[in-house]
Every structure is written in C-alpha cells, then in structure tokens.
Amino acid sequence: MNFLEQKIVEDGVIKEGNILKVDNFLNHQIDVDIIRQIAYELKRRFRGKQVNKILTIEASGIAIATVLADLYDVPVVFAKKSQTANSTDDKYMAQAYSFTHKRMNNVFVSRPYLTAADKVLIVDDFLADGQAANALIDLVHQAGGEVVGIGIAIEKGQQQGGRLLREAGYQLESIAILQSMDYATQTIVFKEQPTRLQSCNAKQQAR
Ligand code: 5GP
C-alpha cells in the first residue's frame, strides 16, 4: 500500500451512502505531512508538464493545492461555491451537483484569476462522479485557458468520474483509487496502481 492507502485504512471511516469519511487528516483536521506527501507525489506524476496555475474548489482541496502551488511556485486559485446564481458579468460560472450535500452548487471564479494564458493543474481532495472536476474544467475553458491535468488525492473508482475524464483524454492522477468499500465490514479494496490489488479492513471507529 502507498502512504495514502495506508492512512485511509488506519483512519478512514466508511459511512452509509458510499461516503468515505477522512475528517481526521483531510476534511476537518489536516495532517500536514500527508498533504505534503500528496503534493510531492502529484508533482512527480505531472513532471515535464508546464503549469502556471493551480485551481481547486473550496474547501478541502485548498490545503493540497496550496502545498502543490508552493512546489511549482505558482498561484493557487480556489473556485467558490454559491447556491444563488448572481450576475456572471465579472465571473466565470459553472454548475456542480454536490454528492455529499445532495444539492446543486454554482461554482465561480472572478475573471481576473483565470486567463487565456493559463496552463492549469486542477486539484481536489476527492473525485466521485466528476461534477466538481468538470465544473473546474468548464471554468478554465470559459477563460480560454488549458487544462494540463487533474490531480486527486482519493478517487472513488466505483463511481464514473475517473473513467469519463480519462476517456475524455485528460491526464488524471489519483494517489489512492478505491475499487469498492463496504459499510457493514468496513472493508476497502483499492484499485491496483499499477499492478497490485490490496484489501484491508478499515478501523472500526465511532460512526
Ligand atoms: P464529484 O464532484 O466528483 O462527484 O465528487 C467529489 C466532491 O464531492 C469532492 O469535492 C468531495 O468534497 C465530495 N465527495 C464525494 N464523495 C466523497 C466521499 O466519499 N467522502 C468525502 N469526504 N467527500 C466526498
């Protein structure tokens, strides 16, 4: 197992409804060492790519994006979420259905922060159906910029987002890819990266 798969097994809690809770190192409390390792691994996987901006979405993507932006020495921009659709005169706007909150969000970036000159690496904590990633891609394209790649900490491979993005031709790199997870047994199976399969019991923790 790699460092992130190991951390998920140790600290992740599988919730009902196909949700993996990783609040104690990624989504509430932040383990800076794990974030740093994720950022270094993403930088390694995208070596040779020209990147002049990191784009993520609030809130949990910001930590990874900031450390990665520091490694590239480029700015990090985070798209904001809003439930109301205000004027789009001064901003690029897209829509994304939130898997965790079960609602549609408007996602926006103010126009000065994305331009046609941008070569953007998109980063997020989770990839599930690809709603957030596709909204971010849409924002970059509205600005006339280029999506250089998509870097994800945890991809839920049992959902369609990863497959669709790869089929669309994007370089998508995910540090841990879940193949399946079972709430009753708290068991997670990781997808091989690239040639092995690991099955482990996630810790039984307070649900
Ligand atoms: P997508 O937009 O790809 O459908 O879902 C990814 C987004 O939903 C991420 O930004 C993340 O916030 C949230 N998400 C989806 N599934 C999970 C999950 O199992 N656990 C957590 N913590 N967040 C998730």
Side-chain angles (χ1 to χ4, degrees), residues 36-169:
R36 194 183 294 119
Q37 289 185 65
I38 292 168
Y40 271 86
E41 178 59 14
L42 289 176
K43 178 99 191 306
R44 191 186 69 76
R45 293 194 191 189
F46 287 104
R47 66 181 169 266
K49 294 274 185 175
Q50 225 192 312
V51 172
N52 74 345
K53 197 161 282 180
I54 308 290
L55 177 65
T56 188
I57 184 165
E58 65 179 359
S60 296
I62 296 175
I64 301 167
T66 302
V67 178
L68 188 56
D70 187 41
L71 295 178
Y72 278 102
D73 198 17
V74 299
V76 52
V77 174
F78 61 94
K80 298 189 177 195
K81 295 175 189 164
S82 152
Q83 283 186 269
T84 52
N86 296 322
S87 152
T88 56
D89 290 354
D90 57 345
K91 51 178 100 73
Y92 301 109
M93 179 100 73
Q95 288 201 315
Y97 181 78
S98 167
F99 181 84
T100 38
H101 297 109
K102 311 282 181 233
R103 65 165 185 241
M104 191 62 89
N105 283 314
N106 292 298
V107 173
F108 68 89
V109 169
S110 292
R111 285 180 187 258
Y113 305 130
L114 279 177
T115 73
D118 284 335
K119 295 180 184 308
V120 179
L121 182 53
I122 289 173
V123 170
D124 207 0
D125 57 339
F126 271 86
L127 175 72
D129 286 330
Q131 289 278 323
N134 277 305
L136 295 176
I137 290 169
D138 191 354
L139 297 178
V140 175
H141 288 164
Q142 285 178 43
E146 180 191 340
V147 175
V148 167
I150 302 159
I152 299 289
I154 303 172
E155 175 181 336
K156 292 162 79 187
Q158 66 275 45
Q159 289 180 244
Q160 62 177 351
R163 179 179 57 77
L164 294 176
L165 288 167
R166 290 186 180 95
E167 282 174 6

Side-chain angles (χ1 to χ4, degrees), residues 16-44:
E16 268 180 307
N18 194 29
I19 297 284
L20 175 64
K21 218 164 156 53
V22 288
D23 276 8
N24 86 325
F25 66 92
L26 194 54
N27 289 145
H28 197 359
Q29 173 170 264
I30 291 176
D31 183 325
V32 180
D33 186 50
I34 290 287
I35 300 294
R36 194 183 294 119
Q37 289 185 65
I38 292 168
Y40 271 86
E41 178 59 14
L42 289 176
K43 178 99 191 306
R44 191 186 69 76

